[in-house]
mmCIF file of all heavy atoms in Angstrom:
data_model
loop_
_atom_site.group_PDB
_atom_site.id
_atom_site.type_symbol
_atom_site.label_atom_id
_atom_site.label_comp_id
_atom_site.label_asym_id
_atom_site.label_seq_id
_atom_site.Cartn_x
_atom_site.Cartn_y
_atom_site.Cartn_z
ATOM 1 N N MET A 1 0.862 -1.189 0.000
ATOM 2 C CA MET A 1 0.000 0.000 0.000
ATOM 3 C C MET A 1 0.892 1.230 0.000
ATOM 4 O O MET A 1 1.806 1.353 0.813
ATOM 5 C CB MET A 1 -0.892 0.000 1.233
ATOM 6 C CG MET A 1 -1.822 1.185 1.282
ATOM 7 S SD MET A 1 -2.912 1.082 2.703
ATOM 8 C CE MET A 1 -3.836 2.607 2.461
ATOM 9 N N SER A 40 26.768 43.774 16.401
ATOM 10 C CA SER A 40 28.217 43.726 16.173
ATOM 11 C C SER A 40 28.654 44.731 15.121
ATOM 12 O O SER A 40 29.802 45.183 15.128
ATOM 13 C CB SER A 40 28.624 42.320 15.735
ATOM 14 O OG SER A 40 28.006 41.988 14.496
ATOM 15 N N GLY A 80 44.547 0.524 34.884
ATOM 16 C CA GLY A 80 45.861 0.024 34.500
ATOM 17 C C GLY A 80 46.925 0.321 35.546
ATOM 18 O O GLY A 80 47.784 -0.516 35.843
ATOM 19 N N ASN A 89 54.272 -3.849 43.614
ATOM 20 C CA ASN A 89 54.256 -4.068 45.060
ATOM 21 C C ASN A 89 54.633 -5.506 45.396
ATOM 22 O O ASN A 89 55.392 -5.774 46.342
ATOM 23 C CB ASN A 89 52.867 -3.740 45.604
ATOM 24 C CG ASN A 89 52.834 -3.712 47.122
ATOM 25 O OD1 ASN A 89 53.876 -3.656 47.769
ATOM 26 N ND2 ASN A 89 51.655 -3.756 47.699
ATOM 27 N N ALA A 94 58.780 -9.294 47.403
ATOM 28 C CA ALA A 94 59.679 -10.432 47.218
ATOM 29 C C ALA A 94 61.139 -10.011 47.379
ATOM 30 O O ALA A 94 61.944 -10.727 47.992
ATOM 31 C CB ALA A 94 59.452 -11.048 45.839
ATOM 32 N N THR A 126 96.669 -2.086 62.187
ATOM 33 C CA THR A 126 96.739 -1.166 61.064
ATOM 34 C C THR A 126 98.182 -1.029 60.630
ATOM 35 O O THR A 126 99.039 -0.700 61.448
ATOM 36 C CB THR A 126 96.193 0.216 61.438
ATOM 37 O OG1 THR A 126 94.852 0.072 61.892
ATOM 38 C CG2 THR A 126 96.220 1.155 60.240
ATOM 39 N N PHE A 146 114.575 -7.298 40.904
ATOM 40 C CA PHE A 146 114.899 -6.444 42.031
ATOM 41 C C PHE A 146 114.586 -4.997 41.651
ATOM 42 O O PHE A 146 114.450 -4.648 40.480
ATOM 43 C CB PHE A 146 116.375 -6.550 42.424
ATOM 44 C CG PHE A 146 116.793 -7.935 42.845
ATOM 45 C CD1 PHE A 146 117.538 -8.740 42.005
ATOM 46 C CD2 PHE A 146 116.435 -8.426 44.085
ATOM 47 C CE1 PHE A 146 117.937 -10.002 42.383
ATOM 48 C CE2 PHE A 146 116.825 -9.689 44.479
ATOM 49 C CZ PHE A 146 117.568 -10.480 43.635
ATOM 50 N N VAL A 163 106.910 -3.589 50.981
ATOM 51 C CA VAL A 163 106.896 -2.400 50.136
ATOM 52 C C VAL A 163 105.655 -2.486 49.252
ATOM 53 O O VAL A 163 105.414 -3.523 48.620
ATOM 54 C CB VAL A 163 108.169 -2.307 49.269
ATOM 55 C CG1 VAL A 163 108.146 -1.052 48.414
ATOM 56 C CG2 VAL A 163 109.416 -2.329 50.151
ATOM 57 N N GLY A 168 99.025 -1.706 44.571
ATOM 58 C CA GLY A 168 99.120 -3.027 45.168
ATOM 59 C C GLY A 168 100.508 -3.289 45.717
ATOM 60 O O GLY A 168 101.353 -2.393 45.834
ATOM 61 N N LEU A 185 111.100 -8.014 44.341
ATOM 62 C CA LEU A 185 109.765 -7.856 43.777
ATOM 63 C C LEU A 185 108.992 -9.171 43.866
ATOM 64 O O LEU A 185 109.577 -10.262 43.898
ATOM 65 C CB LEU A 185 109.859 -7.394 42.317
ATOM 66 C CG LEU A 185 110.642 -6.094 42.076
ATOM 67 C CD1 LEU A 185 110.663 -5.761 40.594
ATOM 68 C CD2 LEU A 185 110.043 -4.949 42.873
ATOM 69 N N SER A 187 107.409 -10.572 41.629
ATOM 70 C CA SER A 187 107.552 -11.359 40.414
ATOM 71 C C SER A 187 108.871 -12.125 40.362
ATOM 72 O O SER A 187 109.120 -12.859 39.404
ATOM 73 C CB SER A 187 107.436 -10.456 39.177
ATOM 74 O OG SER A 187 108.406 -9.423 39.216
ATOM 75 N N PRO A 194 101.734 -15.191 50.697
ATOM 76 C CA PRO A 194 100.448 -15.821 51.008
ATOM 77 C C PRO A 194 99.298 -14.894 50.601
ATOM 78 O O PRO A 194 99.267 -13.717 50.970
ATOM 79 C CB PRO A 194 100.495 -16.013 52.530
ATOM 80 C CG PRO A 194 101.938 -15.853 52.901
ATOM 81 C CD PRO A 194 102.525 -14.910 51.908
ATOM 82 N N PHE A 226 90.719 -21.835 38.718
ATOM 83 C CA PHE A 226 90.958 -20.397 38.716
ATOM 84 C C PHE A 226 90.386 -19.824 37.422
ATOM 85 O O PHE A 226 90.730 -20.298 36.330
ATOM 86 C CB PHE A 226 92.454 -20.090 38.815
ATOM 87 C CG PHE A 226 93.079 -20.541 40.101
ATOM 88 C CD1 PHE A 226 93.875 -21.676 40.152
ATOM 89 C CD2 PHE A 226 92.875 -19.828 41.267
ATOM 90 C CE1 PHE A 226 94.454 -22.092 41.332
ATOM 91 C CE2 PHE A 226 93.449 -20.231 42.461
ATOM 92 C CZ PHE A 226 94.232 -21.369 42.497
#
Side-chain angles (χ1 to χ4, degrees):
M1 181 177 180
S40 63
N89 190 15
T126 302
F146 299 105
V163 181
L185 303 180
S187 57
F226 296 104

